[in-house]
């Protein structure tokens, strides 16, 4: 790999995301030799700090969140960090900050989405050198109208190929492997359709609770935090038509096609579930009720569990339900995409109908399992359940590390495109509206339980 020499500007450089994910990701790149020496990393934020004060903050964050990278690499990134105090929504402050970095930088908006628009407007006023790249964190706006406004300003600022709407799930090994599994093999793709598949479940259950993120999470909730972006991107990769090439243009076009064909839920009580955890014990650890956590506004009714079922109106998928769910403070971590096949047309063996074949794509730890029926060691004329199971070794770069590398290379293949971002809002907006109007009850579930009554 060629080392990149682009400079990196983080707007919101003292925030949780920067300390938890961006700086650790950049450290991995230093460690892997991807980041050339002499690249500037400039953080901009409101705190009135010096470079040295910022470096001290960064050193602590890295000790906490980048323990997997040798200390020498952490020191090397810290030594390159610069800091500039400023208001990211003011053109004058941005101009002064950008004057400190060389060449065409990556500008990363590690900010609350409420300030994306004024920040991008200020950036558009300043302008960026040709070849610059802008990355915007999720959720991309607060609704469809907002996403459209953000896209309009971004397009004034840069060509679409230079815009990176971050979704770190696209950097996860198993999500990338769906491309390999489907499009580098002969055996799966012929079965990958409504003729053979009964339903698809996309599940991201977490044992983690709020983790002190009320400031962000309480105005987002599970639907906007996970199901508007990460889970829909997984749906897009699982359900899209074959791309001509694994590059930004083909992937964006094929993912956009399939998202356009997703039919938003119509019967909200039947097709959606919302829940919020109350006090309980998660794997032996007591957790207070979400509503009592610091910074949570209980009356806002923010959900910590969201689920919905959609159909895809196209030739390949007509009639196959796709069920997406994610929740916090659940009893077990379950991160997987499950494709359930239809039963065999005729069962020649005794012992009743066999279980249908299941393909399970597990995330973190990554793996792929094909659960099938075989003649086992028991009754020779009966079948038993067996699993072809591959555990995938961990990758050198984390999902964020990989995304940052692609970003520095100016490759938007692992980004959400403008159309995809808007289509994703189109799909979830009716759900948000129905939930805001209390058309679907907010079910309470104890922390550590299986969650609310689910349709899965
Ligand atoms: C983030 C969400 O985007 O993804 C978090 O904001 C969630 O709420 C996280 O916990 C899950 O991803 P990972 O990589 O931490 O498993």
């Amino acid at each position: 790999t060629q080392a990149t020499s682009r400079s990196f500007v983080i707007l919101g450089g003292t925030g949780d995301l920067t300390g938890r994910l961006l700086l650790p990701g950049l450290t991995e790149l230093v460690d892997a030799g991807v980041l050339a020496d002499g690249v500037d990393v400039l953080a901009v934020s409101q705190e009135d700090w010096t470079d040295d004060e910022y470096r001290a903050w960064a050193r602590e964050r890295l000790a906490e969140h980048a323990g997997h990278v040798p200390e020498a690499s952490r020191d090397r990134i810290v030594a390159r960090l610069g800091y500039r105090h400023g208001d990211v929504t003011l053109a004058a402050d941005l101009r002064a900050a950008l004057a400190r970095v060389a060449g065409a930088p990556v500008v990363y908006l590690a900010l609350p989405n409420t300030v994306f628009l004024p920040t991008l407007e200020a950036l558009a006023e300043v302008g960026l050198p040709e070849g610059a790249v802008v990355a915007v964190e999720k959720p991309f706006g607060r609704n469809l109208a907002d996403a459209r406004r953000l896209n309009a300003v971004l397009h004034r600022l840069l060509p679409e190929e230079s815009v990176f709407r971050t979704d770190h799930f696209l950097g996860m090994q198993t999500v990338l492997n769906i491309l390999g599994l489907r499009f580098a093999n002969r055996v799966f793709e012929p079965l990958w359709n409504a003729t053979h598949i009964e339903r698809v479940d996309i599940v991201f259950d977490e044992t983690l609770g709020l983790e002190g993120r009320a400031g962000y999470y309480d105005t987002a909730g599970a639907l906007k935090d996970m199901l508007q972006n990460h889970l829909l991107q997984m749906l897009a990769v699982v359900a899209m038509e074959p791309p001509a090439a694994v590059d930004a243009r083909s992937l964006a076009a094929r993912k956009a096609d399939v998202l356009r064909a997703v039919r938003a839920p119509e019967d909200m009580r039947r097709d959606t579930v919302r829940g919020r955890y109350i006090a309980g014990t998660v794997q032996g650890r007591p957790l207070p009720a979400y509503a009592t956590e610091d910074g949570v506004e209980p009356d806002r009714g923010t959900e910590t569990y969201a689920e919905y079922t959609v159909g895809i109106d196209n030739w390949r998928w007509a009639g196959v339900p796709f069920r997406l769910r994610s929740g916090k403070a659940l009893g077990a971590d379950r991160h997987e995409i499950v494709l359930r096949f239809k039963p065999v047309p005729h069962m020649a063996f005794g012992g009743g109908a066999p279980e249908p074949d299941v393909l399970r794509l597990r995330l973190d730890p990554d793996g792929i399992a094909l659960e099938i029926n075989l003649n086992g060691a028991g009754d020779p004329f009966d079948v038993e359940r067996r699993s072809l199971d591959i555990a995938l070794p961990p990758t050198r770069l984390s999902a964020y590390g990989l995304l940052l590398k692609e970003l520095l290379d100016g490759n938007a293949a692992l980004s959400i495109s403008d159309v995809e971002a808007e289509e994703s809002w189109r799909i979830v907006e009716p759900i948000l509206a129905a939930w805001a109007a209390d058309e679907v009850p907010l079910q309470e579930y104890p922390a550590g339980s299986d969650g609310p009554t689910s349709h899965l």
Side-chain angles (χ1 to χ4, degrees):
T1 336
Q2 182 138 38
T4 177
S5 54
R6 231 185 243 276
S7 40
F8 198 88
V9 179
I10 309 175
L11 306 183
T14 57
D16 181 69
L17 180 88
T18 301
R20 205 186 270 259
L21 296 157
L22 298 186
L23 293 179
L26 289 170
T27 310
E28 289 177 15
L29 298 188
V30 167
D31 193 54
V34 175
L35 213 59
D37 282 334
V39 170
D40 304 309
V41 179
L42 179 70
V44 186
S45 197
Q46 284 163 358
E47 283 77 4
D48 193 3
W49 288 351
T50 61
D51 285 349
D52 281 342
E53 282 168 320
Y54 185 68
R55 291 188 185 133
W57 176 85
R59 198 171 289 115
E60 272 177 39
R61 296 277 73 74
L62 289 174
E64 189 177 346
H65 299 296
H68 58 293
V69 187
E71 197 173 349
S73 297
R74 285 186 255 149
D75 289 345
R76 276 167 63 204
I77 190 84
V78 169
R80 290 186 198 184
L81 296 174
Y83 182 74
R84 173 127 197 143
H85 151 230
D87 180 340
V88 295
T89 65
L90 295 180
D93 287 11
L94 288 178
R95 191 174 288 115
L98 290 169
R100 265 187 68 172
V101 297
V106 170
V107 179
Y108 201 109
L109 273 66
L111 297 166
N113 69 1
T114 45
V115 294
F116 286 170
L117 193 61
T119 305
L120 290 172
E121 276 166 350
L123 265 180
E125 204 180 318
V126 177
L128 284 171
E130 209 184 314
V133 172
V134 167
V136 188
E137 259 297 331
K138 62 126 243 251
F140 188 70
R142 287 160 290 182
N143 50 41
L144 178 57
D146 212 20
R148 285 194 177 130
R149 279 191 289 269
L150 291 172
N151 280 335
V153 193
L154 280 164
H155 293 156
R156 254 176 32 224
L157 188 61
L158 294 163
E160 173 64 20
E161 313 85 77
S162 303
V163 177
F164 208 95
R165 294 171 196 79
T166 304
D167 190 312
H168 77 285
F169 276 48
L170 292 174
M172 287 184 180
Q173 179 174 214
T174 292
V175 179
L176 289 166
N177 255 319
I178 298 167
L179 298 174
L181 186 82
R182 291 188 60 193
F183 306 128
N185 295 291
R186 183 101 200 183
V187 290
F188 296 103
E189 205 45 29
L191 305 178
W192 211 266
N193 54 51
T195 310
H196 298 288
I197 292 178
E198 181 92 46
R199 65 174 222 248
V200 178
D201 296 342
I202 301 178
V203 178
F204 206 87
D205 288 358
E206 297 184 281
T207 51
L208 286 181
L210 184 59
E211 301 273 291
R213 292 166 75 216
Y216 153 68
Y217 194 86
D218 201 43
T219 56
L223 189 64
K224 287 188 190 173
D225 184 47
M226 299 293 294
L227 282 80
Q228 189 273 341
N229 34 71
H230 302 321
L231 271 57
L232 274 181
Q233 281 294 310
M234 292 203 271
L235 175 145
V237 176
V238 167
M240 71 184 185
E241 293 303 314
V246 179
D247 61 18
R249 190 187 289 216
S250 299
L251 290 174
R254 297 291 77 83
K255 285 192 290 162
D257 279 348
V258 74
L259 289 171
R260 278 198 197 96
V262 170
R263 187 170 5 97
E266 281 147 15
D267 182 338
M268 294 296 167
R269 288 180 77 95
R270 183 195 62 199
D271 297 334
T272 76
V273 179
R274 65 196 273 245
R276 182 165 75 171
Y277 66 83
I278 54 175
T281 307
V282 182
Q283 298 178 337
R285 190 170 43 95
L287 212 68
Y290 175 81
T292 65
E293 291 265 25
D294 263 359
V296 167
E297 180 63 69
D299 295 338
R300 226 193 305 253
T302 299
E303 79 285 352
T304 59
Y305 177 102
E307 177 182 318
Y308 63 76
T309 305
V310 290
I312 301 179
D313 290 333
N314 65 15
W315 191 292
R316 186 189 285 260
W317 293 115
V320 179
F322 281 73
R323 304 182 194 180
L324 283 59
R325 74 173 242 179
S326 181
K328 297 233 179 251
L330 292 165
D333 283 297
R334 185 179 158 214
H335 309 158
E336 59 183 11
I337 300 167
V338 187
L339 291 94
R340 282 175 214 283
F341 287 83
K342 292 193 166 159
V344 289
H346 167 69
M347 185 53 183
F349 292 89
E355 275 184 68
D357 300 332
V358 170
L359 179 65
R360 221 175 265 282
L361 312 169
R362 295 188 305 262
L363 293 91
D364 190 20
D366 294 307
I368 293 178
L370 182 61
E371 298 166 10
I372 53 174
N373 304 307
L374 285 178
N375 293 78
D379 183 335
F381 299 106
D382 213 346
V383 287
E384 292 175 9
R385 199 70 169 162
R386 285 283 185 271
S387 179
L388 298 165
D389 197 328
I390 308 172
L392 298 166
T395 47
R396 174 151 193 205
L397 295 181
S398 65
Y400 258 94
L402 177 60
L403 289 197
L404 293 176
K405 179 185 169 299
E406 296 307 317
L407 191 53
L408 286 157
D409 287 345
N411 175 17
L414 304 181
S415 156
I416 300 183
S417 69
D418 48 0
V419 179
E420 293 169 64
E422 292 181 16
E423 285 301 319
S424 302
W425 280 117
R426 177 197 53 84
I427 296 163
V428 302
E429 267 199 345
I431 309 174
L432 288 166
W435 290 5
D438 260 331
E439 280 171 34
V440 178
L442 180 65
Q443 296 186 47
E444 293 191 323
Y445 62 95
S449 69
D450 293 340
T453 312
S454 157
H455 297 155
L456 254 77

